[in-house]
Amino acid sequence: MGNTGGKKRENQLTEKGLTHRQDETTQLEERQDETTQLEEKKTEGDFIPGHHEAEICYGGEADLHKHYNRCKKNPGHVNFIPVNDFNLDHLPLRYRDVIMLELMKALSALTVLIKVKYTSLERPKSVPCFSGQYPFYNTRGSDVLRTGTGRVWRVVKYTESANMGTCPCGKCQHSDTPSKVWGKVYVLTARHVVFDDSEARQTRCVVGFDDNKSPGVSLDGWGAGKADIEGDRCVFTCVSCDLELLDELYKMWQQFDGLCWKVRDKYWRLFDVDKLTVIVSHPHGCPKQVSVGQWTHEHVRGDWYKYTYTTCTCPGSSGAYVYMPRYSGWWLSRPHSGSNSEGNYSGEDEMY
């Protein structure tokens, strides 16, 4: 009886997985058809929503390398640079400055792989910033894995004297002596990657996944905070009692902020000339890669700005920070959102 029940359950899961695959394929075809119709009606200056670039893994993490090897958007990934190989020669001639290299190193150190293992029941059916159905609407309530990218947006550490209680990370929750010194790591990503609290609590961020020999360190997701569905931005919270990691991320966060201001002061006049745009991401949930390109269009909605660009991205790049020398400050939150007929495009942020 037990064996028969196990096989029945296995068949149900298989059928469920196939249904998810069919639903997602149908959803993608519907989005493509709608995008084609919208393109026919497009007038100059309009922005046409496109498709998300989170990576979907129905077979779990074992699927990631398969997706990488079978990628149709960027076969061979020749325009992605492994983070450990990146150097000044990969930048345009006028930007080959040590200060730029230091900034890229800091940005890379703050870039994280995001693994989400739940899809919220609260996801809407449609929103203006995506054509067709909103990403993962058809998989609400499921544990289908998806991956994206994020950037450490802020770091706060609590000492015992702060009276913030004990660390709520998974390790401490199962310990008889939970740490009284811990911290919060705020992570910026696209909202279609991490939608709300229910998803944030089922999310893990991997810091330092730079190559296959460096698996990185995981942070437990804890909750979602600042979020904007129209601008496709979300800042969610991870928690940790790894004091060495917290100190290193805090140092990199401050260093990145200072370097951004220095680079802006030196290069902002070239913003409309060279249009430099750099993205550090985890394509297909694989080790960290750097891509360099140019922005092509600036789209304005009131006080909000988004950009399209030639900088290479792949599924798994959703949520990666879009860096441009014109903008400075750790608070800036313009993540990669998706791609359409114009190219790749960001979420929105205010002009500062």
Side-chain angles (χ1 to χ4, degrees), residues 66-326:
K66 294 179 182 178
H67 292 323
Y68 186 90
N69 293 331
R70 297 173 184 173
C71 178
K72 294 182 179 179
K73 184 179 183 185
N74 292 292
H77 299 90
V78 294
N79 292 314
F80 287 88
I81 307 153
V83 67
N84 290 332
D85 295 339
F86 186 81
N87 59 60
L88 288 177
D89 292 337
H90 293 113
L91 291 169
L93 188 60
R94 280 189 280 205
Y95 293 87
R96 293 178 184 175
D97 186 325
V98 172
I99 192 175
M100 279 297 299
L101 186 60
E102 290 302 312
L103 187 148
M104 290 297 104
K105 287 180 179 179
L107 175 57
S108 296
L110 296 174
T111 299
V112 300
L113 168 63
I114 297 175
K115 299 178 181 180
V116 189
K117 296 184 178 180
Y118 177 72
T119 303
S120 173
L121 293 171
E122 301 302 317
R123 284 190 175 243
K125 187 171 184 179
S126 63
V127 297
C129 55
F130 285 95
S131 62
Q133 285 188 354
Y134 189 65
F136 314 115
Y137 176 80
N138 282 344
T139 56
R140 291 172 301 156
S142 77
D143 59 357
V144 175
L145 173 69
R146 64 180 173 276
T147 70
T149 303
R151 189 206 92 195
V152 173
W153 189 70
R154 190 182 178 196
V155 181
V156 177
K157 190 169 80 171
Y158 301 112
T159 61
E160 189 170 346
S161 61
N163 294 319
M164 291 295 291
T166 58
C167 179
C169 75
K171 175 184 174 182
C172 285
Q173 289 297 303
H174 296 89
S175 172
D176 293 331
T177 57
S179 179
K180 295 181 181 180
V181 180
W182 58 284
K184 294 179 181 177
V185 178
Y186 296 87
V187 177
L188 162 70
T189 190
R191 191 170 186 188
H192 74 264
V193 175
V194 178
F195 186 77
D196 60 13
D197 272 337
S198 66
E199 293 187 1
R201 289 192 293 269
Q202 296 295 321
T203 295
R204 294 182 73 82
C205 287
V206 184
V207 180
F209 183 28
D210 294 347
D211 55 50
N212 286 318
K213 295 180 181 179
S214 305
V217 180
S218 291
L219 296 172
D220 294 335
W222 193 53
K226 178 180 178 182
D228 174 16
I229 197 167
E230 181 72 7
D232 197 26
R233 301 171 303 150
C234 174
V235 175
F236 69 99
T237 310
C238 293
V239 292
S240 177
C241 55
D242 185 334
L243 304 185
E244 184 177 347
L245 176 63
L246 291 171
D247 288 342
E248 181 62 23
L249 289 176
Y250 184 84
K251 174 185 173 183
M252 284 296 126
W253 167 54
Q254 289 193 312
Q255 184 174 331
F256 176 73
D257 183 52
L259 288 167
C260 277
W261 285 105
K262 290 179 180 179
V263 169
R264 179 189 182 278
D265 290 344
K266 186 168 184 176
Y267 291 108
W268 70 270
R269 293 178 181 83
L270 299 175
F271 180 74
D272 293 320
V273 179
D274 295 324
K275 301 184 176 182
L276 178 66
T277 306
V278 182
I279 294 176
V280 184
S281 71
H282 285 277
H284 308 286
C286 292
K288 203 175 296 176
Q289 307 279 319
V290 183
S291 49
V292 180
Q294 295 177 303
W295 63 268
T296 55
H297 293 93
E298 184 179 74
H299 306 272
V300 183
R301 182 176 66 91
D303 293 330
W304 299 89
Y305 289 70
K306 72 192 310 172
Y307 291 86
T308 53
Y309 34 82
T310 63
T311 314
C312 282
T313 60
C314 269
S317 295
S318 274
Y321 181 64
V322 181
Y323 174 75
M324 300 172 177
R326 180 181 187 176

